[in-house]
């Protein structure tokens, strides 16, 4: 053995040795189906086809979208366009599913479904906290990505209120009513520095609000009645059966692609083992 080791040591040239560095690579894999709770604002931009949907698809995840009860017909139409896109791209229809219905029961069942691997939510603090609790209470907790609440504070110093109260009041109203109140960055609270002529500033603010007749928020009077009528037009969907459909659609699409590939290969004279 000593003679053998000495032989190998003589044959090795240190200049030709290759030092193998440790593998420091990191590979990201999709989590799985995501339960995405659509936002109430901007139905064409941040709801069914919003940023959470794009993020999940970019990560390689499928989705089951819980449409917002405030615009069910718009959500249904947009989801139909997304299904057409999937068909054009020869992607499984189950890649993007959607459930409808008002109330908390459907959302609760969806976030607790065993096939759901993550949750995404944009909405109220109360609703998001409830869904987060359900996601954490599962036998195997799942990640929950939430954007909760939008009460943004505005601080007004005494010097600013004294020198440009009208400008601040106009800017406050413009920010609050921008996009009919749909922007989540709109101000929700105003803090005025002690020592400021608070009454004068609030009077200015009240004046600009009364003068504006177009700055109305999404929650206008009568919206609840319209929402109930619109929601009644769209039947509620059981998320459990929807998840089964999503899973079966994916299997059907894969089976069809395999059969088509086998048929093409057979016509080319390929042999399958």
């Amino acid at each position: 053995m000593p003679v053998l080791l000495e032989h190998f040591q003589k044959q090795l040239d240190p200049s030709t040795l290759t030092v193998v560095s440790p593998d420091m690579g990191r590979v990201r894999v999709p989590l799985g189906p995501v339960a995405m709770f659509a936002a109430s604002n901007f139905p064409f931009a941040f709801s069914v086809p919003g940023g959470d949907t794009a993020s999940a698809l970019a990560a390689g995840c499928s989705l089951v979208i819980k449409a917002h009860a405030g615009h069910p017909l718009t959500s249904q139409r947009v989801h139909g366009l997304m299904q057409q896109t999937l068909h054009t791209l020869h992607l499984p229809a189950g890649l993007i599913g959607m459930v409808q219905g008002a109330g908390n029961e459907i959302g609760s069942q969806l976030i607790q479904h065993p096939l759901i691997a993550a949750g995404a939510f944009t909405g109220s603090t109360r609703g998001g906290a409830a869904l987060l609790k359900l996601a954490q209470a599962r036998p195997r907790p799942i990640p929950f990505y939430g954007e909760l609440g939008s009460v943004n504070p505005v601080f007004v110093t005494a010097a600013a209120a004294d020198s440009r109260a009208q400008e601040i009041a106009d800017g406050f109203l413009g920010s609050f009513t921008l996009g009919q109140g749909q922007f989540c960055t709109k101000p929700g609270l105003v803090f005025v520095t002690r020592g400021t002529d608070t009454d004068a500033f609030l009077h200015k603010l009240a004046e600009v609000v009364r003068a504006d007749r177009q700055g109305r928020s999404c929650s206008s009077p009568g919206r609840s009645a319209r929402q109930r009528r619109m929601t009644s037009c769209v039947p509620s969907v059981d998320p459990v059966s929807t998840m089964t459909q999503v899973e079966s659609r994916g299997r059907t699409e894969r089976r069809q692609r395999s059969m088509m590939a086998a048929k093409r290969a057979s016509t080319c004279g390929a042999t399958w083992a």
Side-chain angles (χ1 to χ4, degrees), residues 71-239:
H71 35 75
L73 299 182
T74 300
S75 299
Q76 190 175 47
R77 176 57 176 155
V78 173
H79 180 256
L81 295 175
M82 297 170 74
Q83 287 292 313
Q84 293 179 23
T85 303
L86 293 178
H87 178 74
T88 302
L89 298 176
H90 305 290
L91 294 173
L95 185 62
I96 306 175
M98 190 179 74
V99 295
Q100 291 265 25
N104 302 326
E105 184 178 355
I106 293 178
S108 299
Q109 292 183 39
L110 180 59
I111 197 66
Q112 295 179 94
H113 195 281
L115 291 179
I116 291 296
F121 173 85
T122 300
S124 68
T125 302
R126 181 179 179 182
L131 291 173
L132 172 62
K133 185 176 181 180
L134 291 175
Q136 293 177 337
R138 291 174 43 141
R140 182 179 180 181
I142 60 174
F144 182 81
Y145 307 94
E147 180 184 343
L148 280 57
S150 60
V151 181
N152 302 297
V154 175
F155 297 88
V156 182
T157 65
D162 293 339
S163 61
R164 49 191 183 92
Q166 185 66 50
E167 179 186 349
I168 295 174
D170 291 338
F172 180 87
L173 178 66
S175 179
F176 191 85
T177 59
L178 181 65
Q180 298 299 305
Q182 296 185 84
F183 280 84
C184 57
T185 54
K186 67 182 179 183
L189 296 171
V190 180
F191 293 90
V192 182
T193 307
R194 183 176 298 169
T196 306
D197 190 348
T198 308
D199 291 338
F201 175 75
L202 293 179
H203 180 71
K204 290 285 186 183
L205 187 58
E207 283 182 347
V208 297
V209 171
R210 280 194 297 266
D212 185 86
R213 290 292 180 265
Q214 297 179 347
R216 300 184 181 90
S217 67
C218 294
S219 300
S220 58
R223 175 177 178 270
S224 298
R226 292 197 305 272
Q227 178 176 322
R228 286 193 295 271
R229 289 196 299 270
M230 292 176 65
T231 304
S232 64
C233 298
V234 181
S236 298
V237 180
D238 180 13

Side-chain angles (χ1 to χ4, degrees), residues 12-21:
L12 292 177
D13 183 0
S15 61
T16 63
L17 294 178
T18 302
V19 179
V20 180
S21 60

